[in-house]
Amino acid sequence: MTDDRPAWARRIAAERQARDWSQRDAVKALRAHAPTELPADDSMIRQWKRWESGQTPNDFYQPIIASVFGTVTHALFPAPSRRDGDKEILTASGMETLEIVSRLNRSDIDSATLDALRITTDRLCSEYPFMPSAQLLVEGRQWLRRVVDLHTKSLTLAQHREVLALSGWLALLVGCVEYDTGDRHAAESTRRAALSLATESAHAEVAGWAHEMRAWFALTTGDYRGVIAAAQAGAETAAHHGVAVQLAGQEAKAWARLGDRRQVEVALDKGRRLLEGMPYPENLDNHFVVDPAKFDFYAMDCYRLVGEDRLARTLAEDVLRAGTDFDGTERSPMRNAEARVTLGVTAAREGDLEQAVIYGERALRGERQSVPSLIMTSRELAAVMRQRYSHEPTAQDYLNHLHDLGKEKPGFLPS
């Protein structure tokens, strides 16, 4: 039989069961997170049953339920997504690429041209999750050169700062794609350029993302203390921007790899509180926007590392659901790949080698990959297979595939 309940209803039931809670236990936790007194237990248990059957909680209860399960309101109860698409972007800017480029060749720049550049930059950042890396790298570098060339034009002070900020965003994007493809040294140079542009334009958000990139680079190369230092520096720089949430997530990942469960929870709770207090993003596709579903992705990684397999599996399934359209198209292929690795790790720990290999191989097949991040998480699956299935041919085939992927990207070869 099919379960036609809303995704959020299935999730709160799964989250409760992953914690071995009865519905009475869930109500007890709800009381602990509620800002005011709640109705009597029998009434709340009936209410909880209605929620798990699919009756939508009201605006008062939604954030409390999210807090009970260590997430944010819009990760459990998503707002309608606004997916712009090229046609809407073109309509908004009123210009095609050829016209924008021709305007950039003029001696002075008008506000309409800058608006078109902002929209183009947003479009490129929104194509990060799914555009092939080589194509995005070419386009990103082309637009970065065009915007940087504007510094030779006659600009007002406000236009100069705007051009610096746009250059910073494009440099961040190019650096991310360079790192995804294994060009670590180019990525670090581009990241430093973005930080310099942010400093010159006094743009705290771009600076925060430059620190986040440093944290990400450190995480994937095993420098976990470096992650924490970068995350804390970025949070100090951009405390009131969405990047502070991602910095908290990176810090939590580092603490998980250092084995400090208490600091994991502190960092996750810091990120959750920050995100809960921020407005819902207008463009969920932009790589430099922290959407609510991404918070569950951070938590999934942490719970897998600290051995909370049921929680990690529940979150991985929800990451896959949120990252896949109704027709099977993957909106977030890189997140989905790491969710599949998580499902592979939990299956391997439970003794299901066949399922673990299926998930592990599926994660490696994606066309759009962040190779360092994928190999980092795949190492964990490899470690479980070496420990438990070292003499199984199926496990050896997976390990050989992972080793071959590492050889294709020097510097990211798994140990």
Side-chain angles (χ1 to χ4, degrees):
M1 295 178 64
T2 59
D3 187 344
D4 58 358
R5 291 178 298 167
W8 59 262
R10 297 196 301 271
R11 178 173 172 184
I12 65 172
E15 289 265 13
R16 175 178 62 79
Q17 292 160 5
R19 290 165 171 78
D20 288 323
W21 287 354
S22 66
Q23 290 178 332
R24 186 174 294 276
D25 292 331
V27 167
K28 183 178 179 181
L30 198 72
R31 290 190 187 284
H33 289 81
T36 60
E37 187 71 21
L38 299 181
D41 275 0
D42 289 345
S43 173
M44 286 307 305
I45 291 169
R46 287 194 297 272
Q47 184 63 68
W48 191 277
K49 290 179 185 292
R50 287 193 287 269
W51 292 335
E52 287 196 5
S53 69
Q55 184 180 101
T56 306
N58 63 28
D59 290 345
F60 171 77
Y61 283 110
Q62 286 185 11
I64 305 174
I65 296 169
S67 180
V68 164
F69 294 125
T71 188
V72 292
T73 304
H74 289 305
L76 267 179
F77 308 100
S81 176
R82 181 180 67 84
R83 301 182 66 81
D84 289 330
D86 289 344
K87 183 176 180 180
E88 188 172 333
I89 288 172
L90 187 59
T91 301
S93 68
M95 299 183 197
E96 296 186 8
T97 298
L98 183 61
E99 183 180 354
I100 299 172
V101 173
S102 67
R103 282 170 171 262
L104 296 181
N105 291 329
R106 298 175 183 174
S107 59
D108 58 352
I109 301 298
D110 59 20
S111 59
T113 304
L114 280 177
D115 285 342
L117 284 174
R118 290 188 203 101
I119 292 168
T120 299
T121 300
D122 184 70
R123 175 182 65 80
L124 288 168
C125 293
S126 300
E127 289 174 344
Y128 173 84
F130 52 84
M131 182 182 283
S133 300
Q135 181 183 348
L136 185 56
L137 198 54
V138 169
E139 290 196 31
R141 285 171 173 167
Q142 286 176 341
W143 281 106
L144 179 56
R145 281 193 294 270
R146 289 165 181 159
V147 174
V148 168
D149 284 345
L150 291 180
H151 294 294
T152 64
K153 309 292 184 182
S154 175
L155 302 173
T156 67
L157 179 60
Q159 287 175 331
H160 178 67
R161 290 188 63 184
E162 178 72 14
V163 167
L164 286 171
L166 289 172
S167 301
W169 286 119
L170 288 166
L172 290 170
L173 175 65
V174 168
C176 286
V177 183
E178 287 171 337
Y179 199 72
D180 284 340
T181 57
D183 196 345
R184 184 188 305 176
H185 298 297
E188 174 60 16
S189 296
T190 309
R191 183 197 73 82
R192 288 177 180 270
L195 183 58
S196 176
L197 290 163
T199 302
E200 189 175 349
S201 60
H203 200 294
E205 191 173 11
V206 170
W209 280 106
H211 286 293
E212 192 279 335
M213 286 175 66
R214 178 183 157 213
W216 173 36
F217 296 174
L219 184 72
T220 55
T221 53
D223 179 12
Y224 304 133
R225 294 292 176 183
V227 177
I228 294 165
Q232 292 175 350
E236 184 176 345
T237 300
H240 304 295
H241 296 279
V243 64
V245 178
Q246 185 140 326
L247 288 161
Q250 298 289 27
E251 184 178 349
K253 289 182 179 185
W255 285 119
R257 286 165 172 81
L258 289 168
D260 193 326
R261 174 62 184 271
R262 187 180 71 84
Q263 290 296 338
V264 169
E265 296 294 349
V266 168
L268 285 176
D269 190 59
K270 177 170 60 178
R272 184 187 66 78
R273 290 176 184 275
L274 284 169
L275 185 54
E276 191 69 87
M278 292 179 178
Y280 194 74
E282 288 188 5
N283 182 8
L284 297 178
D285 291 331
N286 190 310
H287 179 59
F288 301 109
V289 168
V290 180
D291 63 290
K294 203 169 188 180
F295 189 80
D296 293 332
F297 174 70
Y298 306 146
M300 173 197 77
D301 182 89
C302 295
Y303 287 133
R304 181 187 69 245
L305 284 158
V306 298
E308 293 280 3
D309 289 347
R310 292 176 67 182
L311 288 175
R313 184 170 59 247
T314 298
L315 289 171
E317 289 167 350
D318 207 65
V319 167
L320 283 170
R321 180 194 60 76
T324 307
D325 279 329
F326 68 93
D327 62 356
T329 302
E330 299 206 354
R331 293 197 301 268
S332 305
M334 290 178 284
R335 288 190 213 175
N336 287 359
E338 293 189 39
R340 290 187 176 101
V341 173
T342 295
L343 292 171
V345 170
T346 59
R349 288 173 179 165
E350 293 170 354
D352 191 344
L353 173 61
E354 181 180 1
Q355 197 66 30
V357 170
I358 289 172
Y359 281 124
E361 288 287 357
R362 177 77 185 277
L364 298 177
R365 285 203 300 267
E367 291 184 9
R368 181 66 175 95
Q369 296 179 342
S370 174
V371 174
S373 295
L374 181 57
I375 289 184
M376 177 187 71
T377 53
S378 295
R379 282 185 184 135
E380 297 166 33
L381 179 53
V384 177
M385 288 191 178
R386 289 193 187 98
Q387 180 183 7
R388 302 190 180 198
Y389 309 103
S390 58
H391 301 298
E392 294 285 345
T394 304
Q396 286 301 320
D397 288 344
Y398 172 77
L399 293 172
N400 290 337
H401 186 177
L402 187 60
H403 188 268
D404 290 343
L405 179 62
K407 286 195 295 185
E408 293 170 8
K409 305 294 180 183
F412 296 120
L413 187 65
S415 57

